[in-house]
Structures are given as structure tokens and as C-alpha cells.
Amino acid sequence: MKKVITLFLLSSLFVYSQTEDEKMLKNIYETALTKSKCYDWLDYLSNTIGSRLSGSKSAALAVDYTKEELEKLGFDRVFLQEVMVPKWVRGEKEQAYIEIKGKKINVPICALGSSVATSKKGLKSNIIEVQGIDEMIEMGEDKVKGKIVFFNRPMTPIHIQTFRAYGGCIDQRSSGAREAAKLGAVGVIVRSMNLRLDDFPHTGNTNYGDLPKEMYIPAAAISTNGANLLSDSLKENPNLEFYFKQSCETHKDVLSYNVVGEIKGTENPNKIMVVGGHLDSWDLGDGSHDDGAGVVQSMEIASIFKSLGYKPKNTIRVVLFMNEENGNRGGEKYAELASEANENHIFALESDAGGFSPRGFSIDADEANFAKIINWKSLFEPYLIHYFAIGHTGVDIGPLQSKHIVKAGLQPDSQRYFDYHHAANDTFDAVNKRELELGAATMASLLYLFDQHGID
């Protein structure tokens, strides 16, 4: 009989706990949808400050603005973490054309981040098309030397999770110039990472690894329409010439900052839970989806908790990381300082996949904690949140390590993300207010659940 009573009491406690959690999630979503500040913050970041490339004046303005806004939210502590970041400047607008039978056909390109410039006159040479680095290497130096290499492997449309398609061809952009230079190529053109056919070239970082600087070659992205035109033209005339000109340059590293707002835990102040996004963006648009959305959603969590009078058990830090796009110096610096201070981070959550409708989370956790998250699925179902899977959680929180830590990455609907990613059309008008707010509420809900129930 005692066993039956005990089981009944435990069952009653479980139902009560679930009911309290359900009430809290309902309050979180209602608050986000009626009292949110994140859309206004994003408006200012995007339309008043604009693009926020690391080392730029606008990146410094974004640091000042977000620090001031975090202070207004009433954190126990708001502080900056110094971090040295690269300063790469695009320079004048790039130019490119295909020359066919003496006729010049202009195509849209943009320099890849960290690329070197062409000469002031530009670069003109024969061009060879390949579907990837391996195919180029198989061709050998004889066929590559003195030519521009055109990497034209597209993002495959078959993956519902479009980040898988992105991962399937990003090596062309990140490593193509380095590997082409080893074979004597004089330049690289890369098909934009975009599932849509349009005229927007998409930038992103490239790297030369340990090559000597005299071997660096200029690298640019070409729009998907431009890539198709170039490919078709090469089929008709394999000996055509391609011209492009860019004036980008890399300066000395400059001082910048991570922006951190901290709410001390009422029960476990030495256990730290991080939520954040990256404050820097590429320079073509204003970085509203990548990653202005993640920044303001992270800030919104503090606003929601304050509105609800919720006092977390564990210490919560909102961290706005600097330099995710072309170096990840901010994420590395945060992890370095946390390690030096012997801080105990138990949970980290990142938003860096756009401000679209939230679908769930990617998770980096052991079996016990992943099972705990799966048990919370029913709490999220009323809000159409259903995706909980093991996977990559975020570049900024990647370096962060503790003895016991669970990491999560917000996963919005990704079907339209790469239409805007790293391109000039990643602007404020591309973000839907309600979708942005739902993402913030979903993040706040997971943070709340881990704060209440801890990690195993």
C-alpha cells in the first residue's frame, strides 16, 4: 500500500510540474508576441547602424548600442570582453565580364572575405570549370596553371534541411583558392551558396592556410544566374576569357568586444547558462538574418524574463559575440576567458540560422540529457516546435567546454535562408516580426526548462 501511495504522490508531482511548465511557456510566448522589443532593436541595428563587419566603425557602433540596451534591461552586470579581430575591407564595387567573340557580358560578382585584390587593371584569363576541389586536383597543374578556376558545384535541392546542402559545397568557397593556388591558378570564381536562381552574389570567408602570401590569388563569388551563364558559355567556347577586378585588402587586427549581460542565479550563481548570437555581419547587406536576428532574440529572452518577474536559479549570460563571420575570435575568446576563470557552464544556446519561423533545436548532449529534452517535446507541440535532433549547434558556442555542458542551436525553417545568406538582400525587410518573436519565445522556453530542471 505504501508503494502505491508513493507512486501516486510522485505521479501527482510530475503532473503538477508539467502543468507549471505549460503555464510558463504559455506566458513566455504571449509576452514575446505582445511586449517584444526585438523587432525594434533589429530595426536600429539594420537601418541605423547597418552592416557590421568585424573591425569596422559600424561594428563598434553596434557594440555601444547593444551594451546600452542591455543596461536598460536591468542586468546585474553588463560588461565587454576585449578581443582582437581581423579587419578586411572590400573596397570599390567589383567588376566582372565574360568575353565572347570580342563582346563583353557583365556578370554579378563579389570578393570573398579575406581574399586579396586583383591588380588595379583587373585579372583576365582563360577559365576552367570544375565541380569541386577533387576534380581540379585530378586535372593537375598542366591544365590549371595560369587559368582562373570556376568552382560550379551547386547546392543540391534534395535536402529538406538546407544546411546539409550548404555543407555539401562550402569547401569550394573556404578552401578553393588555397588549393587552386597550389596548382598555379591565377584566380578563383565560386558559385554562390544559394538554392535560388538570382543575380545576388553571396560572399563568405575564404582562407589561404599556411601558403606564403606571394601565392595568394584573388577569389570571388558569382551569382547563380551568372554561374549558369558562364557555364553555358564555356560549353559553347571552352577558350573564352573571363575578367574580374576587385580592390579588397586586409589591415592589421583591431580591438573589438564581445558584449555580455549577466543575471545572477538565485540558487546556483556559479552555474552559468549562455544564450547568444554574433554581432558582426558581412558588409553587402545589413545582416538582419545573419545574425542580427540571433542577437536581438537573445536580448529578448532577458526582456521576457524581466516582464514575467522570473528570477533564474542559475546565472544567465546573454553574449553577443564578435567576429563569427571571418575568424570566430569572439567565440574563442569567450571560451578562453571562461576556462581561465574556471567557470562552470552547464548550458549554451545559440541562434544563428535566421529569423524565420522556429521549428526546434539541434542538440549536442549526452544520452541522458538528450532524453530529457525529448521528454519536453509535448510542451512545445502547441507552438509547432517539433524538431529535436543531435547536430551542430553553433560556431560561437563551439569552443566552449565544461565538464558537464549541454549545447543547443535554434533551428528555424531553413527553406529561404540561403536566398539571403551573406548577400546584399539580407536586409531588415526580409525579416518577419512575428517569426522573429516566435524564435525568441522558443529560445526562452528551452532556457527556462533547463534552468528549472537542470542537467543530468
Side-chain angles (χ1 to χ4, degrees), residues 54-351:
S54 290
S56 66
K57 291 181 179 179
S58 52
L61 290 173
V63 167
D64 292 341
Y65 171 68
T66 51
K67 179 177 182 289
E68 182 179 337
E69 292 302 310
L70 289 180
E71 288 170 342
K72 290 178 183 177
L73 287 173
F75 281 85
D76 294 318
R77 185 166 67 122
V78 177
F79 59 99
L80 301 179
Q81 293 179 330
E82 293 186 355
V83 54
M84 297 300 293
V85 300
K87 182 176 182 178
W88 178 83
V89 179
R90 183 172 301 279
E92 297 176 0
K93 184 174 176 57
E94 302 88 343
Q95 302 173 37
Y97 62 77
I98 305 166
E99 186 167 318
I100 305 174
K101 297 178 182 179
K103 184 180 179 181
K104 298 175 181 178
I105 303 173
N106 294 326
V107 289
I109 69 159
C110 66
L112 293 181
S114 301
S115 175
V116 294
T118 61
S119 69
K120 291 183 179 180
K121 292 182 179 180
L123 172 62
K124 186 177 183 181
S125 182
N126 291 120
I127 186 165
I128 56 170
E129 177 181 348
V130 296
Q131 292 298 300
I133 293 173
D134 290 343
E135 182 183 342
M136 177 190 66
I137 292 173
E138 286 178 9
M139 283 184 168
E141 185 175 344
D142 288 346
K143 293 183 179 180
V144 174
K145 189 173 183 179
K147 294 184 176 66
I148 297 170
V149 177
F150 169 37
F151 291 102
N152 193 34
R153 184 168 77 252
M155 290 177 66
T156 176
I158 64 173
H159 298 303
I160 302 303
Q161 293 286 350
T162 62
F163 280 87
R164 289 185 62 193
Y166 179 67
C169 56
I170 191 177
D171 64 316
Q172 301 173 113
R173 191 191 74 202
S174 61
S175 305
R178 180 180 69 245
E179 299 306 317
K182 293 176 183 178
L183 297 175
V186 294
V188 160
I189 299 295
V190 181
R191 183 187 183 94
S192 287
M193 309 290 131
N194 181 8
L195 284 160
R196 184 173 70 175
L197 291 176
D198 62 27
D199 294 316
F200 291 104
H202 294 230
T203 193
N205 212 42
T206 193
N207 77 83
Y208 299 102
D210 57 0
L211 286 180
K213 288 188 176 180
E214 59 269 21
M215 288 185 65
Y216 289 9
I217 59 175
I222 186 171
S223 71
T224 48
N225 278 339
N228 285 354
L229 174 62
L230 178 55
S231 182
D232 291 343
S233 300
L234 280 167
K235 288 181 177 67
E236 293 182 10
N237 178 15
N239 295 316
L240 66 78
E241 290 188 308
F242 188 87
Y243 169 88
F244 73 109
K245 180 183 177 182
Q246 56 192 43
S247 59
C248 45
E249 57 183 326
T250 299
H251 299 265
K252 291 181 179 180
D253 288 358
V254 300
L255 178 63
S256 190
Y257 304 90
N258 293 331
V259 185
V260 185
E262 181 179 272
I263 304 171
K264 279 290 185 185
T266 56
E267 295 182 14
N268 308 304
N270 293 325
K271 292 182 178 180
I272 301 170
M273 307 175 73
V274 163
V275 59
H278 64 86
L279 195 52
D280 63 304
S281 76
W282 283 110
D283 55 320
L284 297 177
D286 56 48
S288 290
H289 275 298
D290 186 20
D291 185 29
V295 165
V296 300
Q297 285 172 332
S298 300
M299 294 168 64
E300 184 63 39
I301 291 171
S303 179
I304 291 169
F305 286 171
K306 182 180 179 182
S307 293
L308 295 175
Y310 179 70
K311 298 186 183 300
K313 295 179 178 179
N314 304 287
T315 292
I316 292 177
R317 282 185 187 162
V318 173
V319 184
L320 311 181
F321 299 93
M322 182 57 70
N323 183 233
E324 186 271 352
E325 294 293 5
N326 59 339
N328 196 31
R329 303 274 186 88
E332 291 172 352
K333 176 57 71 171
Y334 183 86
E336 175 189 328
L337 294 175
S339 177
E340 288 176 358
N342 292 316
E343 292 178 339
N344 179 22
H345 285 73
I346 62 170
F347 181 69
L349 170 60
E350 183 167 347
S351 172

